[in-house]
Amino acid sequence: MAADVYKIQDNEIKPDALYNAVLADSNGAVTTFAGVVRDNTKGRGTSYLVYDAYREMAEKKMREIGDEVKDKWEVDCVGILHRVGRLKIGEISVLIAISSPHRKASLEACHYAIDRLKQTVPIWKKEVWTDGGEAWIEGDPSALVSR
Amino acid sequence: MAADVYKIQDNEIKPDALYNAVLADSNGAVTTFAGVVRDNTKGRGTSYLVYDAYREMAEKKMREIGDEVKDKWEVDCVGILHRVGRLKIGEISVLIAISSPHRKASLEACHYAIDRLKQTVPIWKKEVWTDGGEAWIEGDPSALVSR
Amino acid sequence: MLVVSIYVEWKLNIKVLFFASCRDLVGTGEREMTLTDGATVTDLISELASEQARFTDMAPSLMVSVNRAYVERDAELQEGDEVAFIPPVSGG
Amino acid sequence: MLVVSIYVEWKLNIKVLFFASCRDLVGTGEREMTLTDGATVTDLISELASEQARFTDMAPSLMVSVNRAYVERDAELQEGDEVAFIPPVSGG
């Protein structure tokens, strides 16, 4: 039985973690976006990342994104996972999977969902660089004007 | 070591079949599109599908799509698998995974790649319906004007 | 003539959450605070700024949520509210 | 006076592939065919249509590839070419 999933989790996210959850027999398409810890930011070497979240509100805002996506596109199920804690290079920080009868809806909705997540969901990333520096990364505050 | 993959195959395609192949340490995003056998077409019940391909040319055209995508977007690796033979409801017919440093490129490139595959790659689908009918499905010939 | 004036002041107790750079600045992720009845988000920010001057500098970039929904600065707080200070998000 | 005329006609041998609905119509997925030197895709279509009238009806919707690249109808065929008739594709 296909179902929505909105979850902040501490443990590893596998690339197919949402696939079976969102897929129903009436679906012809599943688009999955994986955000992965990259080994650099603008050339500065990354050692690891730490993600912090306001868990309860983050899961609520992710559900709101799912609801918004379902209003805008003919999609069936939406799954969003975001990991918190310390993440190594190559590990998945966020996974979004969206199923739909036809491909265009799941592709567009998935793109929209990750853009929206980066605007509204209370999660923060701290970069720890290979040169020993570290900093909380802050998004663009103007992105929140339309919440 | 991340690498491109372009393959027509007879056996089952798993939803994460391309993920590790396309992911490199410098990537921050992997977008994956799975085309799945749906249980109906415009309400007419589907029993199963049969895919036929001009294998050698299909793999060549898939590689051309990958090359085209790399020209247009800053993506790293492209993987495209398409299955042939008899497929059941819920099985994956086509899987595309594209990795990139930043999310927008992999999302847009993945959307483009599946649209293009449906225009240029010599693969055909036969629908066998639950009412006993069957037919080769033909795409829109005008889609091929720009090859 | 004896005049007895009784001033009754209602207080409200709230929970305040701090995240990421804001947590680092404040030095804690969570505090219980008591404000005067009718206090708004702006009043809460003033209270925090009076304790820690650098909070004033950070405040303009912070979003504020009450009970897990974003609110404006003029939102009035209620007894038991969960208020959170939310630096520009950077998930994904 | 004795006049001896020698007509030399070069022939070319090609492999022709048929897929999906086109394979069903022709009844085979692959044929070896021999054409006159200089023959184009149009000539090949005429040859197939002369064997099977219904091929004429289907031909306008078919794409043609030579050695796995799409070509126009006026493309000249060469010895050893692999020609394929490609109905509107429906993969994905």
Side-chain angles (χ1 to χ4, degrees), chain A residues 22-87:
Chain A
V22 301
L23 182 64
D25 281 353
S26 58
N27 299 143
V30 178
T31 303
T32 304
F33 175 83
V36 184
V37 179
R38 204 177 39 224
D39 65 4
N40 77 92
T41 297
K42 292 171 185 160
R44 188 175 184 187
T46 298
S47 178
Y48 61 89
L49 299 184
V50 179
Y51 280 95
D52 186 20
Y54 181 7
R55 279 178 186 253
E56 303 80 2
M57 183 168 168
E59 291 180 354
K60 176 172 174 268
K61 298 307 283 185
M62 295 193 307
R63 180 175 298 276
E64 286 177 18
I65 291 171
D67 291 345
E68 202 184 335
V69 152
K70 290 182 188 190
D71 277 351
K72 288 178 191 276
W73 288 278
E74 200 195 308
V75 302
D76 191 1
C77 284
V78 176
I80 308 179
L81 298 177
H82 203 298
R83 192 169 158 197
V84 291
R86 180 172 168 158
L87 276 75

Side-chain angles (χ1 to χ4, degrees), chain A residues 51-54 56-57 60-61 82 93-94 118-121 123-125 136-139 144 147, chain C residues 17 19-21 23-24 61 63 65 67-72 82 84 86-92:
Chain A
Y51 280 95
D52 186 20
Y54 181 7
E56 303 80 2
M57 183 168 168
K60 176 172 174 268
K61 298 307 283 185
H82 203 298
S93 54
V94 60
K118 284 173 171 270
Q119 294 172 342
T120 67
V121 179
I123 301 177
W124 302 269
K125 170 169 69 178
W136 285 107
I137 306 304
E138 304 208 331
L144 263 170
R147 287 168 309 221
Chain C
L17 306 177
F19 293 96
S21 55
R23 183 213 307 257
D24 289 353
S61 72
M63 291 296 305
S65 69
N67 301 330
R68 302 164 191 176
Y70 291 112
V71 298
E72 300 298 334
E82 179 179 289
I86 298 184
V89 302
S90 56

Side-chain angles (χ1 to χ4, degrees), chain C residues 12-69:
Chain C
L12 62 93
N13 300 294
I14 58 172
K15 181 162 82 171
V16 186
L17 306 177
F18 307 94
F19 293 96
S21 55
C22 186
R23 183 213 307 257
D24 289 353
L25 174 69
V26 173
T28 181
E30 181 174 338
R31 289 180 56 174
E32 306 291 328
M33 291 182 71
T34 301
L35 300 175
T36 307
D37 190 40
T40 64
V41 168
T42 298
D43 297 327
L44 172 59
I45 291 172
S46 301
E47 176 70 22
L48 288 162
S50 73
E51 296 178 16
Q52 191 157 22
R54 285 176 56 212
F55 196 83
T56 314
D57 304 328
M58 182 179 274
S61 72
L62 300 173
M63 291 296 305
V64 178
S65 69
V66 173
N67 301 330
R68 302 164 191 176

Side-chain angles (χ1 to χ4, degrees), chain B residues 76-88:
Chain B
D76 191 0
C77 284
V78 176
I80 307 179
L81 298 177
H82 204 297
R83 192 168 160 200
V84 290
R86 180 171 168 160
L87 276 76
K88 293 194 284 259

